[in-house]
Amino acid sequence: MPDLEPGGGRVRLRLHEPPRVVNIGVGLHGVGTVRDVFLLPDLWQLHLYGYHAELTLGGLTHEIRPGHVSLIPPGHEVAFRYRGRSEHLYAHLRLPGGGPALSVPVMQDAADRTPVLRDLFSQALAAAPRDGAHADAEVWALLWRISRLPGPAAATPGGPHPAVAAATAHIELRLAEPLTVPEIARHAGVSHNHLTRLFRAETGDTVVAYLRRRRLARAEHLLRRSTLSIPAIAALVGLADLQAFNKACRRELGASPRALRG
């Protein structure tokens, strides 16, 4: 099966179009039997776990721990070995064929991202009975987050280093807030110096230069496309000091905020 990579430790995940969620719910296992063996011929399986167990796929056994998430491609037999009552969130879904593929581990530890994944799963579960398109959208977002979980195992060929991806996402969400490189590095799970090296290698910028560039790009958009006041825009991009904002616009954008507004 082409979706399971040789060795059985990674899958090829295609996310250029939304999935189609066929079934989603809470699975309860390990009560009547300690072992389940089954396959879904034409559906992917997505699981978010809250227990300790083992999963065997393609001859490779993966440890299951609370907060782990797994992706099992269609047509592959999977065996679970439980250690008592075991409850997980699951979705059975169809993914698009063809198109670019991401290389994603079969099993990952979501760690501090677990609450976010659980929330997306819960929203999809609540939406499914009344609005399948909404459930599909929530699971699509969930799959994208899973494909970008931090850690060496989550790196994808041609994609950003997970620490750089985590750092840039943190920056985008907090452009209006005071940000320091050590704080961004802590969020990305690496040291200050290591993040600086990774950033320069992948973007050609320092973290500080990237942050400044993104702030000014958002400022330019708001100045040209919105009716927000200049002080409000300055605050929204983390440069509330109007003199500093004016200097930054002239230096980075070549014109004052008032001139950019037209």
Side-chain angles (χ1 to χ4, degrees), residues 47-51 65-69 89 108-122 142 145-146 149-150:
H47 296 120
L48 179 59
Y49 301 98
Y51 55 82
R65 298 287 184 270
H68 281 200
V69 60
L89 293 167
Q108 297 186 77
D109 182 1
D112 62 349
R113 274 51 168 192
T114 302
V116 174
L117 300 189
R118 187 179 294 114
D119 184 56
L120 287 168
F121 230 129
S122 298
L142 176 60
R145 285 183 176 271
I146 289 167
L149 285 172

Side-chain angles (χ1 to χ4, degrees), residues 177-199:
E177 302 174 16
L179 287 173
T180 66
V181 178
E183 175 203 340
I184 296 167
R186 282 195 300 273
H187 181 84
V190 295
S191 71
H192 176 166
N193 290 337
H194 189 43
L195 182 63
T196 299
R197 288 192 295 271
L198 289 171
F199 241 83

